[in-house]
Amino acid sequence: MAHTLFNPMNILQLATFIILINHVYIGYSFPSSRTHDYNLQVRKLQQLKSSISQTNPVLSARLYAVSSYGADPTGKTDSTDAILSAIADAVGYTRLAGQGGIYKISRPVKFPMAGIGNVMISSGTLRASENFTNDNYLIDLSPPSSSSTNNEYNYEYITLKDIMLDCNYHGGGIRAINALRTSIDNVYITHFTTNGIMVQGGHETYIRNSFLGQHITAGGDPHERNFTGTAINLAGNDNAVTDVVIFSAATGILVSGQANVITGVHCYNKATGFGGTGVYLKLPGLTQTRIVNSYFDYTGIVSEDPVQLHVSGCFFLGDAFVLLKSIRGVVNGVNIVDNMFSGSNKGIDIVQLDQRNGAFNNIDQVVVNNNNVNGMNLKATVATGAMQGNGTVWTVDFNKILLFPRHIKLVQYTLMTSESNVFPNYVLRNISNNKVFIESDIAVSGSVSVTVDQGLSKKKLAILGS
């Protein structure tokens, strides 16, 4: 991208502030578990279906204008009480709407009870007042502490759409705790200090077509070193982030839940050289994350002890790279394939290992291959080399390309010679330190071709060896 400084501006005024609500109770409880139990999810959804079928259907809708409750669309006075009063009435019925403007709030916009569904908040601007507390969120989908536990789904089918949130450097934008099937669509969140969006627990939050940044900039910001906060924090399972731009934050997306997918994301939140991270996967030993077709712009990916991680079809610009960080020395089921890397010829490896906590010693089913590179060092788990010589010993050194030190699992080699009536016997003597040593019983002029693989699974090796 072209990095040009974008002057900070006041938050833009949007057309309307609308909340559409259909009331559905979903109060029930199941024990929570960090493991990904699909049978448990099926039981939850069956219970939810039964719960919904027992509710009274809403046969009509009614419009609640927040301005009629005293909300100030100019943003000069506090509109929190007016908005919350309108929500309280609308929760008992169907629909809430307001006139265009910027609404200043001093407390989070929350629903007065847990266990509701089919709600849409759409088209408007909320701005935190100067006395908005730093540990709160402008829109908070979390229940009153007395009405729910961590084992319940609190809300179902909540849609937040076409909204601009100015956190005014007080707290975060949106928080969803134990919510089921939440949609965050075309939302612009800025000036947050904690998280732009926080997803905790719950199931199937979809974040799409949105823009998040702590500071309003288009790159090349002179204050980039001081960016803080996290744009999207996914501490739950089965969520998706699609077609999202993250333009300023210390961490673009922090993932600590399983089975999440990230696609079409453009991260230029804070350069790696300034201490930033595009996507940080903080779920050692059970990653289960897919990152595809995304653009990492001077900031890359960090994954702790990755297990089942797929990175494919991505573009890494400005020496951005993938870092695998050892916590307990596990890397298993990792695909880093078919990506493009572009750098500045500073000798940066496209995939790197952080082994300060201990070496990776449990390595299985790892494929780093078919990536194309310009101005960076290619790294892979599969490599082919050849050399010519005249003698009895050939040495092929793969240290420049192989990802893991001293970890070749499979070698295929061939000695070819143009000499007639010469049939040498040759053998693999050693593979230490990512160097392959081939020796023949007689001196011969020829060439050796060698293919090595570091990432084959233990099961496949057993089959090959049988």
Side-chain angles (χ1 to χ4, degrees):
M1 65 164 291
H3 289 290
T4 58
L5 181 60
F6 188 73
N7 291 328
M9 63 178 70
N10 292 328
I11 279 295
L12 300 176
Q13 179 172 322
L14 297 186
T16 57
F17 185 62
I18 302 172
I19 301 179
L20 304 174
I21 300 178
N22 283 319
H23 201 163
V24 178
Y25 284 94
I26 59 171
Y28 54 92
S29 176
F30 283 102
S32 61
S33 173
R34 188 166 180 263
T35 60
H36 194 71
D37 187 343
Y38 284 96
N39 292 328
L40 174 62
Q41 300 298 337
V42 169
R43 292 197 298 272
K44 283 186 176 183
L45 296 177
Q46 289 172 342
Q47 184 88 6
L48 173 61
K49 179 180 179 181
S50 176
S51 171
I52 292 175
S53 67
Q54 297 173 8
T55 62
N56 295 323
V58 176
L59 300 179
S60 62
R62 183 175 296 171
L63 182 67
Y64 291 82
V66 296
S67 58
S68 66
Y69 288 78
D72 178 9
T74 69
K76 294 179 180 178
T77 61
D78 190 348
S79 297
T80 309
D81 289 336
I83 293 173
L84 292 177
S85 294
I87 287 176
D89 287 349
V91 163
Y93 207 79
T94 58
R95 181 172 175 176
L96 169 65
Q99 297 172 342
I102 300 172
Y103 295 92
K104 181 187 293 186
I105 60 174
S106 58
R107 302 190 309 280
V109 172
K110 298 183 66 170
F111 298 119
M113 64 184 74
I116 64 172
N118 195 11
V119 176
M120 181 171 70
I121 301 177
S122 178
S123 304
T125 299
L126 295 177
R127 188 172 192 270
S129 65
E130 294 299 332
N131 58 343
F132 195 93
T133 57
N134 291 332
D135 58 349
N136 275 325
Y137 290 77
L138 271 67
I139 298 178
D140 193 353
L141 301 180
S142 63
S145 58
S146 60
S147 63
S148 179
T149 70
N150 290 331
N151 296 329
E152 295 177 339
Y153 286 140
N154 298 318
Y155 305 105
E156 190 260 347
Y157 189 35
I158 306 295
T159 300
L160 308 176
K161 184 178 181 181
D162 304 335
I163 302 170
M164 180 172 279
L165 301 178
D166 179 4
C167 302
N168 196 22
Y169 300 111
H170 292 281
I174 298 170
R175 176 166 62 182
I177 298 180
N178 295 331
L180 178 63
R181 286 185 283 266
T182 304
S183 179
I184 300 173
D185 190 3
N186 192 30
V187 173
Y188 189 116
I189 303 176
T190 190
H191 299 153
F192 52 85
T193 54
T194 53
N195 301 289
I197 299 174
M198 173 69 185
V199 178
Q200 183 177 338
H203 193 62
E204 294 169 342
T205 295
Y206 275 47
I207 304 168
R208 53 183 176 261
N209 306 322
S210 295
F211 304 87
L212 298 96
Q214 184 181 51
H215 305 277
I216 299 177
T217 178
D221 194 303
H223 305 293
E224 184 174 343
R225 292 179 182 273
N226 300 320
F227 290 174
T228 62
T230 299
I232 299 174
N233 192 334
L234 298 179
N237 299 344
D238 306 314
N239 306 297
V241 180
T242 306
D243 298 331
V244 167
V245 174
I246 302 172
F247 52 86
S248 61
T251 302
I253 303 175
L254 176 63
V255 181
S256 56
Q258 301 162 238
N260 294 289
V261 60
I262 298 168
T263 179
V265 171
H266 181 191
C267 288
Y268 62 101
N269 47 288
K270 185 176 183 178
T272 299
F274 295 156
T277 306
V279 174
Y280 196 112
L281 305 173
K282 196 174 182 62
L283 191 67
L286 201 58
T287 311
Q288 294 178 335
T289 302
R290 293 145 291 162
I291 304 174
V292 296
N293 301 329
S294 294
Y295 177 11
F296 293 91
D297 196 345
Y298 284 77
T299 187
I301 299 172
V302 177
S303 182
E304 297 182 352
D305 274 6
V307 173
Q308 292 192 309
L309 167 64
H310 183 81
V311 180
S312 179
C314 295
F315 177 44
F316 295 79
L317 179 68
D319 292 319
F321 55 88
V322 180
L323 178 68
L324 308 181
K325 184 175 182 178
S326 173
I327 302 299
R328 299 181 182 88
V330 177
V331 53
N332 192 328
V334 174
N335 300 320
I336 303 174
V337 296
D338 302 323
N339 302 286
M340 296 188 297
F341 293 82
S342 179
S344 54
N345 294 303
K346 294 179 180 178
I348 305 296
D349 295 341
I350 65 169
V351 182
Q352 301 180 19
L353 306 178
D354 181 348
Q355 302 184 91
R356 289 173 294 179
N357 293 323
F360 283 109
N361 50 39
N362 185 353
I363 304 169
D364 195 21
Q365 301 181 79
V366 179
V367 180
V368 180
N369 199 21
N370 291 337
N371 300 294
N372 66 66
V373 177
N374 181 22
M376 298 178 71
N377 292 337
L378 179 65
K379 286 291 181 179
T381 57
V382 179
T384 298
M387 70 165 298
Q388 293 183 332
N390 188 352
T392 60
V393 177
W394 288 264
T395 302
V396 183
D397 189 347
F398 290 98
N399 275 292
K400 288 185 177 181
I401 189 170
L402 288 180
L403 177 62
F404 299 103
R406 300 176 300 279
H407 194 75
I408 294 175
K409 288 187 174 182
L410 178 69
V411 179
Q412 294 177 301
Y413 58 97
T414 301
L415 173 62
M416 296 178 292
T417 178
S418 59
E419 296 184 18
S420 60
N421 300 322
V422 175
F423 301 96
N425 295 313
Y426 58 99
V427 66
L428 173 65
R429 286 295 187 192
N430 199 302
I431 57 171
S432 63
N433 298 317
N434 285 341
K435 294 181 180 180
V436 176
F437 299 89
I438 307 296
E439 184 175 354
S440 63
D441 60 341
I442 59 174
V444 63
S445 177
S447 64
V448 169
S449 176
V450 181
T451 298
V452 295
D453 195 327
Q454 292 190 316
L456 287 175
S457 71
K458 297 173 183 176
K459 182 178 180 179
K460 186 171 182 180
L461 284 172
I463 294 175
L464 291 172
S466 62

